[in-house]
């Protein structure tokens, strides 16, 4: 069993508990144990784009420092936004001497100084680079054969260029994972189109419109469900279907599943009953279909 | 220098209009220069390079009996030959004239600091006065010229150059990598702005090449080595193995007819099929087939041989070996052409994976009467006639961040042409163009754009953000920046005006020819304005898109220009050599050979008997690398000796 | 500014005047965002790929142009900075490498720091209960003081 230092982030302890639990179940099956960072704090959710205020970067950097304190050099995340924020903060720390100086000074009270050496590892990279899709495919076998999943990358797994888990405009990792699970990956043109992100708090109707487009595109591709790896995307694409359905009588609900939930099903791990309650669009039918296959 | 006469140096300072005089204090420079040792005269003129300026130079040489001159003006790259020629007319050895660069290296870069700049300019002048004081008169030797040209590349540029040279009475060897000449122009349907058919204007020229008594066409061949120098190059050419004995082949075509293997054809950009034994297109010159060994059943599995059985001329030769031939030539025209940047590079436009999103050359094939659809515009996915086609300009061009920073120059015009031809071909079809700027600077080009606009081609000013497939439509997500509105077109087909880039084989050829390319891989001209056809190596000239993107009229003009350069060279019986080379002081040379390795021009060799190094003055470019490599100071650059350089440094200390 | 006369409403300020064209504003954006807006050649690729463009009253490329010409009032009155979801599609596709999302963040920051924005994020208890923490925190980070 390989231990991975794990950074959950805020939402995996709240609205996305099923993401965390399903990840733990699936990864255990693959020989990984998630060991939660003893002390962690919110990463800030978004990487601060204003370059004249360095203090916003302290939050993610402190988590990277905790990793070093616990003797690790890799920090594993599930949430795309945490991944993005942590990774970008570290790049800034290593590549911008001026800001590096500022944040170091601001962290004077820490027990050790941060050395910039914590790598952020996302689930998709772990499965591709450390488990390997061939290995995974061999382990899973037929898996979700007959199921078509629409891989939804969203923004923060891919952008900015060079920091994401794969080629920004032409990613493959999510599709490859879906195929390794035995399912078919939909050629889904809206896979990297923004869901509306935080606008969901202020302008839920705009987000619902995005959701309608993205879900509509997945439906046109013949997908059984949309697979995601970000709790905010999940909320927007799933919960906001309620508004989309209210505004458009022809809108049909589509299940939105975390990729880890799919992975559990592919590995023959039971889809736990409490997970279902977190979903808005009904998942029973698709889960039954997936369980039957696996 | 024994017996050298008393130095009488003249210093002439150029104002270059305001370029120099606007920053530097000219009277101060004259005063300073006049006070330098050995200076007999110091004066100035508004434009030294002009006729009166040159006359002034001649006059002062005679008036003061000057035996050396420093012209303080611009870079010697620009006007050194001008002043040397003028001095020679006044009876002074031209190599006793030097230039002090007080423009590029002083006035231009210190525009806000005239006072210090004047001081610096005076130091530059003083250095050149010191140097010229020890210059010796030099005399040009000459070498004979082989009056035969090599042209690399059989597209329209290479063809035009070969024809012009051959028509002027000289021999030309035309080397083409592909099985046929014609290049990309052969793929085009019709040409802007006249809409005349590319085949109609190109194929007669191809035939002329094939039948010209002074042109030797080496198709399916590549240049593998080059030695020598202007007037006397030795070139190695590989005649690749085609599997067909072209001397026996009659070009009847039965082999192609009978061959059972079909593969996507390069000439049709993968939209049509060709056989494993093939000519790229029916009008090919030479009209002789080659066997594609990667796909031929015999080469793959040792079976079939249907072509061999059917060939009455017994021309099929599976055992044919590639052959290396050597030729002597006096000049070379490099006309290697372009290729399109791959659609795979544009992820946001489908990364080359959407079947109905094609590049512009592929669309030419769909428009061409000899193309895979016989000129009917049918889309690749299902063969349907597209009712709407979107043309996206600048696909990879003008994008310094991710792709090519330069403008590919012809896309505005060919996209306009393609949109118009499509509109003519498909009744009721609607073309949409997305452009950033329309660049129609050519004779009758703007009028052509006007024609397309008035015929109903819809131009939208805005770059497309994304292209994706939805059902059987291709969705183009763009913007109309003039209205400030996002725009979505559900198109049947999309044509990407991909950036032009140099042929991918350019780096290999660069290594062989030892000429330079820019950061994009385009051949570098000797001077962008004053010598746009030459290269850094004398005797090697450039034509066509290998140097930079350009259209057919410009390509043909440039090719004729390059041919003119070659003809000019060949009009002389002997070629004067630049005497600014190095020589070896035999007493000091230890024969270590370090300089032989340091020389990039293969101008040096070790004499095994005398254990000293010999210099081939014809090859020496006077770069001075040998001088640095020599531990004994045995190599001396004429008019650039160590002593002269140290004297110049002394001025600064 | 709209005025009415004889039942016809007309715009009183159509023209950009020399005195309005102040570059300090673009420079301020550049300081905060690191984006050089003067590199923009108005290709519009940012707007063409913007997922939120339909909801914006001024497109991202127009924001850049207005900033170049110092038209701060127009930018300030636009909903665009508050609609932008910072998905970075514009920044990563800009042919001239202008960080447009970052520039728009700078506009938000200038508004928020000047406290002249009325866009306070007031979330009801019900909303806070409904929304996941990731949405609340990011919304506060982006569109509230």
């Amino acid at each position: 069993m390989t231990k991975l230092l794990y950074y959950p982030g805020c939402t995996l302890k709240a609205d996305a508990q099923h993401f965390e639990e399903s990840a733990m179940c699936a990864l255990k099956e693959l020989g990984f144990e998630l060991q939660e960072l003893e002390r962690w704090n919110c990463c800030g959710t978004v990487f601060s784009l204003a370059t004249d205020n360095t203090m916003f970067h302290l939050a993610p950097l402190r988590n990277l420092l905790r990793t070093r304190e616990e003797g690790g050099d890799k920090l594993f995340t599930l949430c795309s936004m945490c991944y993005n924020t942590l990774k970008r903060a570290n790049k800034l720390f290593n590549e911008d001497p001026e800001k590096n100086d500022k944040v170091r000074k601001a962290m004077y009270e820490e027990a050790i100084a941060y050395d910039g050496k914590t790598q952020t590892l996302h689930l998709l990279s772990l499965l591709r680079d450390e488990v390997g899709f061939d290995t995974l495919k061999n382990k899973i076998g037929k898996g979700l054969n007959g199921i078509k999943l629409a891989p939804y990358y969203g923004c923060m797994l891919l952008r900015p260029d060079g920091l994401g888990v794969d080629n920004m405009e032409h990613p493959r990792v999510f599709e490859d994972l879906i195929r390794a699970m035995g399912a078919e990956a939909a050629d889904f043109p809206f896979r990297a189109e923004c869901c509306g992100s935080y606008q969901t708090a202020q302008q839920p109707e705009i987000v619902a419109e995005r959701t309608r487009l993205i879900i509509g595109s997945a439906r046109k591709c013949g997908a059984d469900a949309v697979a995601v790896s970000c709790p905010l995307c999940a909320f927007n694409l799933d919960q906001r279907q309620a508004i989309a359905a209210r505004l458009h009588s022809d809108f049909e609900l589509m299940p939105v599943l975390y990729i880890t939930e799919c992975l559990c099903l592919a590995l023959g791990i039971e889809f736990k009953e409490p997970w279902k309650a977190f979903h808005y669009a009904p998942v029973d039918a698709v889960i039954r279909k997936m369980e039957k296959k696996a | 220098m024994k017996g050298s006469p008393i130095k009488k140096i003249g210093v002439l300072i150029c104002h270059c209009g305001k370029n120099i005089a606007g920053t530097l204090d000219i009277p101060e420079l004259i005063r300073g220069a006049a006070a330098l040792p050995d200076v007999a005269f110091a004066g100035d003129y508004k434009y030294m390079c002009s006729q009166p300026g040159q006359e002034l130079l001649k006059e002062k040489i005679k008036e003061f009996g000057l035996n050396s001159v420093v012209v303080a003006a611009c870079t010697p790259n620009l006007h050194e030959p001008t002043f040397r020629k003028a001095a020679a007319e006044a009876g002074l050895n031209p190599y006793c004239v030097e230039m002090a660069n007080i423009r590029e290296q002083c006035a231009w870069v210190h525009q806000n600091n005239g006072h210090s700049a004047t001081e610096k300019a005076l130091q530059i002048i003083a250095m050149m006065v010191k140097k010229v004081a020890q210059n010796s008169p030099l005399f040009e030797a000459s070498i004979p010229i082989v009056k035969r040209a090599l042209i690399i590349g059989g597209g329209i540029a290479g063809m035009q150059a070969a024809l012009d040279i051959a028509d002027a009475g000289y021999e030309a060897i035309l080397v083409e990598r592909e099985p046929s000449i014609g290049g990309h122009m052969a793929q085009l349907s019709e040409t802007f702005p006249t809409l005349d058919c590319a085949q109609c204007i190109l194929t007669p020229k191809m035939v002329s090449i094939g039948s010209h008594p002074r042109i030797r066409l080496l198709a399916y061949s590549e240049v593998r080595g080059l030695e020598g120098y202007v007037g006397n190059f030795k070139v190695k050419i590989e005649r690749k193995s085609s599997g067909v004995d072209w001397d026996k082949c009659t070009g009847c075509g039965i082999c192609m007819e009978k061959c059972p293997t079909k593969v996507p054809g390069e000439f049709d950009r993968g939209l049509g099929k060709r056989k494993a034994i093939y000519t790229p297109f029916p009008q090919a010159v030479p009209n002789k087939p080659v066997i594609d060994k990667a796909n031929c059943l015999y080469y793959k599995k040792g079976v079939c041989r249907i072509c061999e059985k059917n060939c009455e001329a017994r021309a099929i030769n599976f055992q044919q070996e590639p052959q290396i031939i050597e030729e002597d030539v006096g000049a070379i025209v490099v006309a290697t052409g372009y290729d399109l940047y791959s659609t795979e590079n544009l992820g946001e436009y489908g990364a080359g994976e959407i079947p109905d999103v094609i590049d512009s050359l592929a669309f030419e094939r769909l428009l061409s009467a000899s193309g895979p659809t016989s000129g009917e515009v049918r889309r690749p996915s299902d063969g349907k006639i597209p009712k709407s086609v979107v043309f996206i300009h600048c696909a990879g061009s003008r994008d310094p961040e991710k792709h090519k920073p330069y403008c590919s120059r012809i896309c505005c015009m060919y996209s306009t042409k393609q949109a118009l031809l499509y509109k003519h071909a498909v009744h009721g079809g609607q073309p949409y163009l997305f452009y950033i700027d329309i660049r129609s600077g050519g004779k009758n080009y703007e009028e052509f754009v006007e024609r397309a606009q008035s015929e109903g081609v819809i131009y939208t000013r805005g770059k497309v953000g994304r292209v994706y497939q939805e059902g059987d439509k291709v969705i183009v997500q763009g913007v109309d920046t003039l209205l400030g509105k996002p725009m979505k077109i559900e198109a049947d087909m999309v044509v990407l005006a991909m950036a032009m880039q140099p042929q991918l084989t350019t780096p290999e050829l660069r290594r062989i020819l030892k000429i330079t390319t820019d950061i994009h891989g385009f051949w570098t001209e000797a001077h962008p304005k004053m010598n746009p056809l030459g290269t850094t190596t004398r005797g090697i000239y450039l034509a066509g898109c290998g140097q930079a993107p350009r259209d057919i009229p410009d390509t043909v003009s440039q090719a004729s220009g390059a041919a003119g350069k070659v003809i000019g060279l060949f009009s002389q019986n002997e070629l004067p050599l630049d005497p600014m080379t190095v020589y070896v002081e035999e007493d000091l040379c230890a024969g270590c050979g370090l300089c032989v390795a340091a020389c990039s021009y293969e101008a040096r060799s070790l004499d095994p008997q005398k254990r000293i190094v010999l210099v081939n003055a014809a090859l020496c470019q006077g770069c001075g690398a040998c001088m640095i490599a020599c531990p004994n100071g045995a190599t001396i650059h004429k008019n650039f000796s160590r002593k002269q350089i140290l004297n110049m440094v002394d001025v600064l200390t | 500014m709209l005025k009415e006369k004889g039942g016809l409403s007309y715009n009183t300020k159509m023209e950009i005047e020399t005195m309005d064209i102040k570059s300090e504003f673009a420079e301020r954006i550049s300081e905060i965002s690191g984006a050089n807006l003067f590199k923009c050649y108005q290709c519009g690729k940012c707007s063409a790929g913007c997922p939120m463009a339909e909801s914006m009253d001024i497109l991202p490329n127009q924001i850049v142009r207005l900033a170049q010409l110092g038209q701060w009032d127009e930018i300030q009155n636009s909903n665009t900075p508050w609609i932008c979801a910072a998905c970075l599609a514009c920044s990563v596709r800009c042919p001239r490498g202008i960080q447009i999302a970052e520039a728009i963040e700078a506009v938000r920051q200038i508004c928020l720091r000047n406290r002249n924005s009325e866009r306070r994020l007031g979330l009801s208890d019900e909303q806070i209960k409904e929304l996941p923490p990731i949405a609340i925190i990011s919304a506060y980070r982006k569109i509230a003081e």
Side-chain angles (χ1 to χ4, degrees):
Chain A
M1 204 55 90
T2 310
K3 278 190 181 174
L4 291 171
L5 272 177
Y6 160 60
Y7 175 79
C10 55
T11 306
L12 279 93
K13 295 295 177 190
D15 302 56
Q17 290 167 33
H18 54 316
F19 189 10
E20 179 176 71
E21 282 174 28
S22 57
M24 284 183 166
C25 294
L27 287 172
K28 194 173 168 194
E29 184 68 26
L30 297 171
F32 294 95
E33 187 189 330
L34 297 188
Q35 185 185 325
E36 190 171 316
L37 216 52
E38 271 178 39
R39 283 170 67 199
W40 58 267
N41 53 265
C42 171
C43 68
T45 68
V46 285
F47 178 79
S48 177
L49 298 178
T51 60
D52 64 343
N53 191 341
T54 323
M55 293 307 111
F56 286 119
H57 304 307
L58 284 176
L61 286 171
R62 283 212 161 92
N63 291 309
L64 300 174
L65 172 65
R66 302 283 169 260
T67 311
R68 301 297 287 149
E69 281 176 354
E70 292 185 29
D73 55 6
K74 268 185 202 159
L75 186 57
F76 177 79
T77 65
L78 291 163
C79 165
S80 309
M81 286 178 87
C82 298
Y83 167 78
N84 188 278
T85 308
L86 295 169
K87 199 162 177 186
R88 288 192 78 177
N90 203 47
K91 183 177 158 72
L92 182 100
F93 183 88
N94 284 326
E95 292 177 11
D96 188 328
E98 194 191 320
K99 297 206 171 60
N100 176 302
D101 191 52
K102 274 192 185 166
V103 291
R104 271 172 189 278
K105 281 177 183 155
M107 295 200 288
Y108 70 94
E109 84 289 12
E110 294 290 349
I112 61 167
Y114 181 52
D115 57 6
K117 287 189 178 152
T118 302
Q119 283 179 10
T120 308
L121 179 65
H122 188 265
L123 171 75
L124 287 174
S125 308
L126 176 88
L127 295 175
R128 176 189 58 197
D129 304 332
E130 304 198 14
V131 178
F133 290 145
D134 287 340
T135 315
L136 193 61
K137 198 175 176 59
N138 289 337
K139 189 168 173 65
I140 287 173
K142 280 187 78 180
L144 305 178
N145 194 348
I147 300 288
K148 194 169 185 179
L149 293 171
Y152 183 73
Y153 289 88
C155 310
M156 294 300 135
L157 276 182
L158 298 174
R159 294 186 284 266
D161 201 4
L163 276 162
V165 293
D166 203 350
N167 179 299
M168 173 186 81
E169 293 286 7
H170 198 54
R172 294 258 63 107
V173 54
F174 218 140
E175 282 84 348
D176 290 344
L177 171 59
I178 287 172
R179 281 191 281 267
M181 296 192 301
E184 187 186 344
D187 192 359
F188 175 38
F190 279 72
R191 60 193 175 153
E193 287 281 289
C194 182
C195 65
S197 185
Y198 49 79
Q199 295 294 358
T200 202
Q202 198 191 19
Q203 319 265 8
E205 286 78 15
I206 294 181
V207 171
E209 207 48 44
R210 298 297 304 158
T211 297
R212 187 174 77 94
L213 269 174
I214 295 163
I215 296 293
S217 169
R219 186 167 300 288
K220 277 183 203 159
C221 299
D224 294 297
V226 175
V228 297
S229 97
C230 168
L232 187 50
C233 301
F235 177 81
N236 286 347
L237 293 187
D238 190 10
Q239 310 290 329
R240 289 304 182 219
Q241 289 189 40
I243 304 177
R246 199 177 69 220
L247 297 175
H248 300 275
S249 56
D250 58 346
F251 180 80
E252 288 176 63
L253 301 184
M254 173 174 278
V256 176
L257 294 167
Y258 281 108
I259 188 66
T260 48
E261 292 177 299
C262 304
L263 190 55
C264 280
L265 288 164
L267 287 163
I269 300 164
E270 188 204 354
F271 192 97
K272 299 211 169 67
E273 201 53 35
W275 299 351
K276 289 179 186 166
F278 286 102
H279 292 272
Y280 173 77
V283 293
D284 286 301
V286 75
I287 288 167
R288 267 199 304 279
K289 196 172 164 191
M290 288 160 94
E291 276 171 345
K292 213 177 281 170
K293 300 286 178 188
Chain B
M1 223 171 279
K2 68 179 175 206
S4 56
I6 297 163
K7 280 288 155 190
K8 282 188 184 172
I9 301 170
V11 178
L12 285 135
I13 299 162
C14 178
H15 296 204
C16 195
K18 283 189 175 170
N19 278 301
I20 292 171
T23 302
L24 305 182
D25 181 347
I26 303 284
E28 181 61 29
L29 289 180
I30 298 173
R31 272 195 296 281
L36 293 170
D38 299 330
V39 171
F41 168 79
D44 65 323
Y45 191 69
K46 211 173 175 68
Y47 294 103
M48 276 306 297
C49 59
S50 67
Q51 187 66 25
Q54 294 184 42
E55 287 305 321
L56 179 74
L57 175 80
K58 291 185 207 171
E59 209 175 279
K60 296 299 170 192
I61 289 171
K62 288 175 188 154
E63 187 184 335
F64 289 89
L66 302 176
N67 50 23
S68 301
V69 169
V70 171
V71 182
C74 52
T75 163
N77 278 334
L78 204 58
H79 279 307
E80 192 182 72
T82 312
F83 297 119
R84 287 194 164 163
K85 189 165 160 280
E89 283 163 13
L92 184 66
N93 183 284
Y95 296 92
C96 293
V97 176
E98 291 287 355
M99 290 191 73
N101 183 352
I102 59 168
R103 191 178 76 171
E104 284 83 347
Q105 291 177 356
C106 190
W108 277 359
V109 286
H110 305 298
Q111 280 175 10
N112 302 324
N113 203 345
H115 183 69
S116 308
T118 304
E119 275 178 34
K120 177 176 166 181
L122 191 55
Q123 284 184 321
I124 294 172
I125 294 169
M127 283 161 72
M128 294 319 289
V129 167
K130 270 283 187 200
K131 178 181 183 296
V132 82
Q134 291 189 325
N135 270 20
S136 312
L138 300 178
F139 301 94
E140 290 164 355
S142 60
I143 46 164
I145 299 172
V146 176
K147 296 185 182 183
R148 184 183 302 117
L150 168 73
I151 292 100
I152 307 173
I156 183 60
M159 286 165 54
Q160 184 66 41
L163 283 171
D164 284 356
I165 292 167
D167 286 346
Y170 302 106
E171 285 177 48
I173 299 171
L174 179 58
V175 174
E176 167 57 49
R177 188 181 52 182
E178 299 293 328
S180 170
I181 55 170
H184 285 309
M185 190 178 165
Q187 291 175 292
L188 308 183
S189 53
E190 289 164 27
T191 54
F192 63 80
T194 46
L195 294 188
D196 40 5
C197 147
Q199 290 276 336
C200 309
I201 53 179
L202 185 75
T203 43
K205 270 194 198 287
M206 290 168 61
V207 173
S208 305
I209 295 268
S211 60
H212 203 292
R214 283 184 294 278
I215 295 177
R216 185 162 170 220
L217 173 58
L218 299 177
Y220 211 50
S221 300
E222 285 187 62
V223 172
R224 296 292 183 215
L226 182 74
E227 283 175 11
Y229 45 90
V230 57
N232 295 275
F233 292 109
K234 277 193 193 309
V235 60
K236 277 199 181 81
I237 301 161
E238 179 189 340
R239 308 210 64 183
K240 297 186 281 190
S241 156
S242 63
V244 179
D245 184 339
W246 283 4
D247 291 334
K248 289 184 186 163
C249 172
T250 60
C252 72
I254 190 95
C255 52
M256 297 189 268
E257 203 184 302
K258 300 288 182 190
C259 173
T261 308
K262 273 188 174 180
V263 291
E266 299 80 1
F267 188 77
D268 284 335
R269 303 292 283 184
L271 297 179
K273 295 264 164 96
R274 64 159 169 80
K275 296 293 182 69
I277 182 165
Y278 72 106
T279 58
F281 51 103
Q283 299 77 22
V285 171
N287 190 22
K288 308 285 167 90
V290 298
I291 299 177
D292 165 10
K293 292 177 184 167
N295 288 301
C296 167
L297 286 175
Y298 175 75
Y299 284 99
K300 273 164 71 178
K301 295 178 183 162
V303 294
C304 183
R305 307 183 86 140
I306 287 175
C307 53
E308 192 184 33
K309 281 167 214 149
N310 284 284
C311 181
E312 285 181 14
R314 301 194 166 278
I316 305 294
N317 177 5
F318 293 115
Q319 275 70 47
Q320 191 187 53
E321 292 287 325
Q323 191 192 347
I324 298 279
I325 57 173
E326 288 194 27
E327 293 287 343
D328 290 332
V329 296
I332 299 169
V333 177
V334 182
T336 46
Y338 73 97
D339 213 337
L340 290 187
Y341 188 54
S342 169
T343 53
E344 288 168 22
N345 296 308
L346 301 181
E348 66 272 39
Y349 297 165
E353 290 182 2
I354 304 174
D356 294 326
V357 178
I358 61 174
D359 71 24
S360 40
L361 273 175
F363 195 68
E364 288 289 339
R365 298 311 299 149
L366 292 185
L367 288 169
S368 171
S370 61
T373 55
S374 305
E376 279 199 329
V377 181
R378 292 183 176 276
R379 63 183 200 173
S381 63
D382 54 10
K384 277 189 197 152
I385 293 176
K387 287 289 169 200
S388 57
V389 179
V390 171
F391 298 85
I392 301 178
H393 292 216
C394 301
S397 302
R398 300 183 69 194
D399 189 332
E401 197 60 24
K402 295 264 161 3
H403 308 289
K404 308 290 179 190
Y406 50 83
C407 164
S408 292
R409 230 178 115 182
I410 62 170
C411 326
C412 283
M413 294 309 299
Y414 73 60
S415 297
T416 295
K417 175 200 74 178
Q418 291 180 342
L420 200 58
L421 291 178
Y422 159 71
K423 204 162 186 312
H424 294 171
V426 176
H427 183 69
Q430 182 58 57
Y432 302 88
L433 265 72
F434 281 89
Y435 70 96
I436 309 176
D437 299 296
I438 293 289
R439 297 189 166 171
S440 54
K443 193 170 178 179
N444 295 323
Y445 286 10
E446 180 59 24
E447 294 90 325
F448 184 66
V449 173
E450 186 195 338
R451 176 180 168 191
Q453 285 170 332
S454 54
E455 286 193 29
V457 175
I458 294 178
Y459 283 72
T460 301
R461 197 206 167 281
K463 203 167 167 86
V464 168
R466 220 157 72 82
V467 172
Y468 57 91
Q469 180 97 52
E470 204 171 82
D472 75 338
K473 292 281 182 188
V474 184
I475 311 296
V476 177
Q477 198 180 306
V479 63
D480 187 319
T481 57
L482 300 178
L483 291 176
K485 286 186 178 172
M487 196 165 172
K488 197 158 107 178
I489 308 265
E490 293 185 8
D492 290 327
M493 204 175 158
V494 171
V495 180
L496 301 176
M498 296 305 300
M500 291 168 90
Q501 62 181 9
Q503 283 288 342
L504 297 173
T505 48
T506 306
E508 171 66 8
L509 194 59
R510 179 183 58 195
R511 197 185 54 73
I512 294 168
L513 300 179
K514 299 191 186 78
I515 57 175
T516 53
T517 53
D518 65 16
I519 52 165
H520 313 300
F522 289 112
W523 300 115
T524 313
E525 59 285 349
H527 188 282
K529 296 182 186 70
M530 307 315 287
N531 192 1
L533 306 173
T535 64
T536 41
T537 302
R538 283 180 75 198
I540 302 184
Y541 305 98
L542 303 173
C545 293
Q547 187 234 346
R550 51 170 48 83
D551 56 27
I552 295 169
D554 282 4
T555 295
V556 173
S557 307
Q558 193 196 19
S560 286
K565 287 276 181 189
V566 173
I567 295 163
L569 184 71
F570 288 175
S571 69
Q572 309 163 78
N573 288 324
E574 292 205 311
L575 195 65
L577 289 176
D578 186 349
M580 288 281 291
T581 54
V582 297
Y583 65 96
V584 173
E585 198 77 79
E586 293 191 6
D587 296 346
L588 295 176
C589 178
C592 69
L594 285 173
C595 59
V596 178
C599 180
S600 306
Y601 304 95
E602 290 162 39
R604 302 195 142 232
S605 56
L606 202 57
D607 184 323
Q609 260 93 51
K610 289 162 84 180
R611 295 289 298 168
I612 56 161
V613 166
L614 305 174
V615 182
N616 182 339
L619 287 175
C620 177
Q621 302 289 311
C623 74
C626 48
M627 215 167 124
I628 295 156
C630 179
N632 293 356
T635 280
I636 296 164
H637 197 295
K638 293 173 190 164
N639 285 353
F640 236 114
S641 65
R642 276 165 203 259
K643 187 155 195 289
Q644 281 177 298
I645 293 167
L646 290 173
N647 280 345
M648 289 167 77
V649 175
D650 277 346
V651 171
L652 298 176
T653 50
Chain C
M1 207 178 291
L2 283 176
K3 280 197 175 177
E4 269 200 35
K5 196 177 176 185
L8 181 72
S9 65
Y10 60 93
N11 210 325
T12 55
K13 196 179 172 195
M14 290 293 285
E15 212 169 62
I16 293 172
E17 288 167 22
T18 322
M19 58 174 293
D20 299 331
I21 305 173
K22 287 176 265 167
S23 61
E24 296 111 71
F25 174 59
E27 274 160 27
R28 183 81 191 102
I29 291 185
S30 168
E31 271 170 34
I32 299 177
S33 65
N36 179 0
L37 302 184
F38 290 104
K39 281 169 86 177
C40 175
Y41 67 148
Q42 287 296 321
C43 71
K45 200 174 186 186
C46 48
S47 304
C50 177
M52 310 300 272
E54 282 172 52
S55 310
M56 293 172 171
D57 52 3
I58 297 178
L59 294 182
N61 69 298
Q62 295 176 306
I63 293 278
V64 176
R65 185 64 186 151
L66 288 166
Q68 284 179 342
L69 296 181
Q71 305 295 301
W72 171 237
D73 286 347
E74 220 166 309
I75 294 176
Q76 172 165 258
N77 292 328
S78 156
N79 74 6
T80 300
W82 312 100
I83 297 290
C84 164
C87 77
L88 302 180
C90 50
S91 295
V92 298
R93 287 188 186 142
C94 175
R96 293 248 167 117
I98 304 165
Q99 290 150 316
I100 298 148
E102 285 81 347
I104 288 179
E105 171 90 359
V107 172
R108 279 195 291 264
Q109 286 293 325
I110 294 172
C111 288
L112 294 171
R113 291 176 196 180
N114 291 345
R115 294 173 195 279
N116 60 2
S117 167
E118 288 165 17
R119 296 168 199 277
R120 283 162 192 270
L121 183 67
L123 295 178
S124 65
D125 289 350
E126 202 178 304
Q127 278 174 301
I128 290 175
K129 211 173 148 199
E130 179 208 12
L131 292 165
I134 195 169
I136 299 170
I137 298 166
S138 52
Y140 271 107
R141 286 286 311 279
K142 285 287 176 184
I143 45 189
E145 282 172 59

